[in-house]
Amino acid sequence: MTSNPATPPGPARHALVFGASGAIGAALVARLLDAGWSVDAVSRAPRADAARLRWHAGAFDAMPASLPDRADAIFSCGPLDRFSLWYAGAAIDCPRIVAFGSTSDATKQAARDPGERELAMRLRASGERVFAAANARGATATLLRPTLVYGSGRDRNLSLIVALARRSGVFVLPRDARGLRQPVHVDDLAAAAEAAFDAPGAQGQAFALPGGDTIDYRTMVARTLACLHPAPRLLAVPGVLFDAALWTAHRAGRLQGLPPGAVARMREDLVFDAAPAREAFGYAPRAFRPEPAMFAVD
Ligand SMILES: NC(=O)c1ccc[n+]([C@@H]2O[C@H](COP(=O)([O-])OP(=O)(O)OC[C@H]3O[C@@H](n4cnc5c(N)ncnc54)[C@H](OP(=O)(O)O)[C@@H]3O)[C@@H](O)[C@H]2O)c1
């Protein structure tokens, strides 16, 4: 993915990045700085400035007065709901908004867990709010919806599985955890955000951003564990046995972080089409080739 070759090199661009300390945000800021942008970044914690990078400590309900009043682009890499509410009321002058949402807006729409259904609804409403607010001020927005993100070592998906498996040397999955997944690398998402900024065809659109491979859940976990040294063992047990053990654990107040709905989803295909993003801004995500450094938690 490259910038539009028809765009002549102009003055340095200026971005305002929310969620800049996060997995995707950090990859995006590094990329923007490499490409010559100057970046104003927001974090709830104070952070050290660097060349062309200025941090602002603040939260969406209390943004600091130091925030710039104009930018060439706003990138939202933090919670979409909070960003959308802030942006709808903000006076900032900026023609382009690129915001990360999630394919959970679709995959959790009919989830068993009311909290997950509420999340899906909130994500959809937040995306609509960003588009409406951009329209109202003559700006254009792009919504990027990643699938399962990996690569930074800080995600709560594969990195969490790796951490658990490293601790006990074994990871247990139901044998029928065969729902299809498309893990996507953070650097491909950062590249997508930069490319979408420049692409006329991305304006006013939402795009799913799946990874370059479509593999089943068990294969995804097996491939991840196999890259580690030493490699933890993946134990696949019959689905009914796994479900019964989980039910017993829940009754005892354990494994609350693994709700039945999350296990049910391991058996569901969560598959999205990369073609619209490829056509609009050359999205070309890498294949899933895990390496230990991608799961090294700081
Ligand atoms: N990780 C995934 O698998 C995945 C999948 C699909 C979509 N997404 C979406 O992609 C975006 C980025 O994901 P990510 O994995 O890079 O996230 P992340 O690592 O959790 O980072 C998000 C950043 O947002 C800021 N943030 C978090 N809560 C906040 C709050 N209440 N108010 C203000 N700022 C807050 C934090 O920065 P400070 O602590 O510095 O303030 C944090 O570093 C999110 O919209 C996420 O929903 C993620």
Side-chain angles (χ1 to χ4, degrees):
M1 261 174 297
T2 54
S3 300
N4 183 348
T7 308
R13 287 156 158 182
H14 171 220
L16 175 59
V17 183
F18 294 95
S21 69
I24 300 172
L28 176 62
V29 168
R31 203 177 169 89
L32 293 174
L33 292 173
D34 273 356
W37 289 66
S38 66
V39 176
D40 279 274
V42 180
S43 171
R44 289 165 298 170
R47 292 173 194 273
D49 293 347
R52 286 182 286 110
L53 172 60
R54 183 176 179 211
W55 284 97
H56 303 262
F60 283 116
D61 51 2
M63 280 297 166
S66 60
L67 223 58
D69 52 16
R70 74 159 312 281
D72 296 310
I74 297 176
F75 294 96
S76 167
C77 309
L80 183 65
D81 52 350
R82 289 170 192 264
F83 169 73
S84 69
L85 290 167
W86 172 82
Y87 176 59
I92 191 159
D93 173 15
C94 180
R96 282 290 285 132
I97 314 299
V98 179
F100 280 95
S102 174
T103 49
S104 293
D105 61 7
T107 57
K108 294 186 176 160
Q109 203 168 352
R112 288 186 203 180
D113 176 2
E116 292 190 339
R117 290 200 300 276
E118 199 273 331
L119 169 70
M121 216 160 59
R122 191 151 31 91
L123 281 168
R124 287 199 304 279
S126 305
E128 284 162 18
R129 192 178 297 118
V130 169
F131 282 120
N135 271 340
R137 61 184 72 187
T140 57
T142 299
L143 182 66
L144 301 177
R145 301 163 58 238
T147 51
L148 183 154
V149 179
Y150 73 98
S152 68
R154 291 191 271 163
D155 62 88
R156 283 171 293 279
N157 309 307
L158 291 173
S159 292
L160 193 60
I161 289 175
V162 164
L164 291 170
R166 271 189 172 141
R167 212 171 299 152
S168 61
V170 64
F171 193 77
V172 184
L173 270 183
R175 200 170 282 160
D176 57 355
R178 292 293 196 188
L180 295 176
R181 291 296 183 277
Q182 298 163 306
V184 60
H185 195 283
V186 281
D187 289 339
D188 292 334
L189 297 172
E194 191 191 5
F197 163 81
D198 252 345
Q203 299 182 9
Q205 305 292 323
F207 298 93
L209 296 183
D213 268 343
T214 301
I215 51 178
D216 71 62
Y217 195 96
R218 221 174 97 186
T219 303
M220 176 180 74
V221 174
R223 221 185 257 182
T224 301
L225 298 186
C227 85
L228 304 174
H229 311 291
R233 200 157 69 89
L234 178 61
L235 185 61
V237 301
V240 281
L241 201 64
F242 187 94
D243 292 348
L246 187 66
W247 185 84
T248 308
H250 283 166
R251 292 264 297 181
R254 293 189 295 113
L255 294 181
Q256 300 298 318
L258 185 62
V263 177
R265 260 199 307 281
M266 292 178 192
R267 296 159 173 141
E268 288 168 17
D269 295 344
L270 309 182
V271 175
F272 293 84
D273 185 5
R278 185 169 56 241
E279 281 153 27
F281 50 89
Y283 181 59
R286 72 198 67 187
F288 183 59
R289 302 279 180 271
E291 293 166 19
M294 296 172 178
F295 309 101
V297 181
D298 303 334

